[in-house]
Amino acid sequence: MADNMITIHIIDREGVTHDLEAPTDMNMNVMEVCKSYELPVEGRCGGMAMCATCQCYLESDHELPEQSDAELDMLDEAFFVKDNSRLGCQIHINDEIDGIVLRLAPEGN
Amino acid sequence: MIETDIIIIGAGPVGLFTVFEAGLVKLKCHLIDSLPQAGGQLAEIYPKKPIYDIPGYPEVLAGDLIDRLMEQAAPFKPGFTLGESAMSIEETSDNQFIVTTNKGTEHKAPVVMIAGGLGVFQPRKPPVENLENFEDKGVEYIIRDPEMYQGKKVVVAGGGDSALDWSIYLIENNIASELSLVHRRSSFRGHLDSVQKVMDLADQGKINLITEAEVIGLKGNGTLDSVQIKHNDGSEIWKDTDHFVPLFGLKPELGPIADWGLEIEKNAIKVDTRDYSTNREGIYAIGDINQYEGKLKLILCGFHEGTIAVQSAFARIHPDKKNVLKYTTVNGVNGFE
């Protein structure tokens, strides 16, 4: 693996796991990686935590940065929210999340 | 009947700039938007957010950009139908279109430009079984006339300002006979003043606060009788109510234009990049609502699309005239009288 690449594991809405390689030097987030691999993540607001179409559930032990007020506000109004809910657009691709496992939330947000 | 040269559906940044470009070739515009003010998503959702990729502005707040675009369009005296959604379109025998809104306002023009951004803002509907069966029969997503709830039992759902403010209003003005506020979490994220007021009213027994719970079902015979509430611990209750008002914000959807006979791809309107025309002659789609190979959903690109589309619109409206490109520096901006 190149020094600037990590692997993230996305479980789609049919339960299929996709192992995606993502570059850490392109300032990308999880929503953008999913879209670039054409996974069914809408990302309607473009990554501003203003919609919940990139909601996902953290299913590995990775410690993510504290959620911002904007993200919490959006999740507060979203549907199918669980304790481990996150917005994919607020999860930035860096070395610390190598191997992370995320499950896509149901559609309808 | 409002008559104009170009009906623009969507009064966001791209629609507004198109007014200016149309004015340069002496075409008049009328804009329709479902929001009560011009500006579209920029004004509605993030007026205080900075935008960095508008030429000439290293940084401009979204709301300020709208103000500047309105100023730029003003010499061409655009008409506005605001707070109404474009619902239907029909073609007349003289090659004009009539666009009618949900309030029956009719607009007639030879050209229609769809600049609806990500679509019409519509209430976000919770995933509740049976919900559609009770719409306008006890379920409302917007409170238009508070007096409708006079003496009624009401269940409000949501944790944002809208849910908090309406709960306070319906109780403080002695309108609802009983009000329950249901929220999935134990805390609320609205303005602190509103949160405190709701807590106070709950302590006084005036608002029935049901937290860490969700409405999951509805029951009634023709109209709503009760809602099923499931707590996070798994327990469920049925609560008698006359109205259920889920207030979970807005989200953009294509809306009625999805039924206008336009070719749709990736939940957007497919266009020909020669002039951003759709498969229906005389109808164009510009900005985030269109789709073509290489599409970038940027305001910047929408400005370009509107400019090109207007040239094509001119040719449709004035087939016998030759339009020579005029530079604004040479002729200045000659607004309408």
Side-chain angles (χ1 to χ4, degrees), chain B residues 108-255:
Chain B
K108 187 180 184 186
V111 167
V112 174
M113 298 230 180
I114 303 177
L118 298 177
V120 181
F121 281 99
Q122 295 179 346
R124 297 173 67 246
K125 302 180 179 183
V128 174
E129 196 178 335
N130 254 8
L131 190 66
E132 282 88 19
N133 295 345
F134 292 97
E135 288 179 349
D136 295 324
K137 296 169 190 158
V139 172
E140 294 91 35
Y141 305 107
I142 294 172
I143 295 183
R144 300 184 200 278
D145 177 17
E147 291 305 314
M148 173 183 175
Y149 302 92
Q150 184 69 49
K152 304 290 188 183
K153 295 174 182 169
V154 181
V155 171
V156 174
D161 283 311
S162 194
L164 296 173
D165 291 345
W166 278 116
S167 297
I168 293 165
Y169 184 95
L170 292 176
I171 284 300
E172 284 204 324
N173 291 283
N174 296 308
I175 295 175
S177 66
E178 177 188 301
L179 189 133
S180 303
L181 175 55
V182 181
H183 184 41
R184 183 183 339 97
R185 298 186 176 186
S186 57
S187 61
F188 293 85
R189 300 197 58 87
H191 288 123
L192 293 183
D193 286 356
S194 303
V195 175
Q196 188 57 57
K197 178 146 287 207
V198 162
M199 295 303 172
D200 291 344
L201 290 169
D203 287 345
Q204 297 162 33
K206 295 180 176 176
I207 285 181
N208 180 18
L209 213 49
I210 305 175
T211 56
E212 299 188 51
E214 287 176 88
V215 171
I216 61 170
L218 307 170
K219 194 160 63 175
N221 190 10
T223 58
L224 184 65
D225 282 343
S226 54
V227 297
Q228 183 182 18
I229 297 170
K230 182 177 184 178
H231 294 267
N232 291 354
D233 63 14
S235 60
E236 294 177 10
I237 61 169
W238 280 92
K239 182 167 234 333
D240 290 345
T241 191
D242 301 302
H243 294 277
F244 172 50
V245 186
L247 297 172
F248 291 102
L250 303 170
K251 80 172 181 179
E253 296 278 9
L254 265 191

Side-chain angles (χ1 to χ4, degrees), chain A residues 42 44-45 48 50 52 68-70 72-82 108-109, chain B residues 45-46 49 118 124-127 159-160 183-185 187-189 247-249 251-253:
Chain A
E42 188 184 344
R44 183 185 302 131
C45 74
M48 287 186 282
M50 287 184 158
S68 68
D69 279 345
L72 292 172
D73 283 344
M74 189 58 243
L75 286 171
D76 205 55
E77 287 208 319
F79 307 120
F80 310 109
V81 176
K82 301 179 180 178
N109 263 300
Chain B
I45 296 188
Y46 45 92
K49 284 275 192 182
L118 298 177
R124 297 173 67 246
K125 302 180 179 183
H183 184 41
R184 183 183 339 97
R185 298 186 176 186
S187 61
F188 293 85
R189 300 197 58 87
L247 297 172
F248 291 102
K251 80 172 181 179
E253 296 278 9

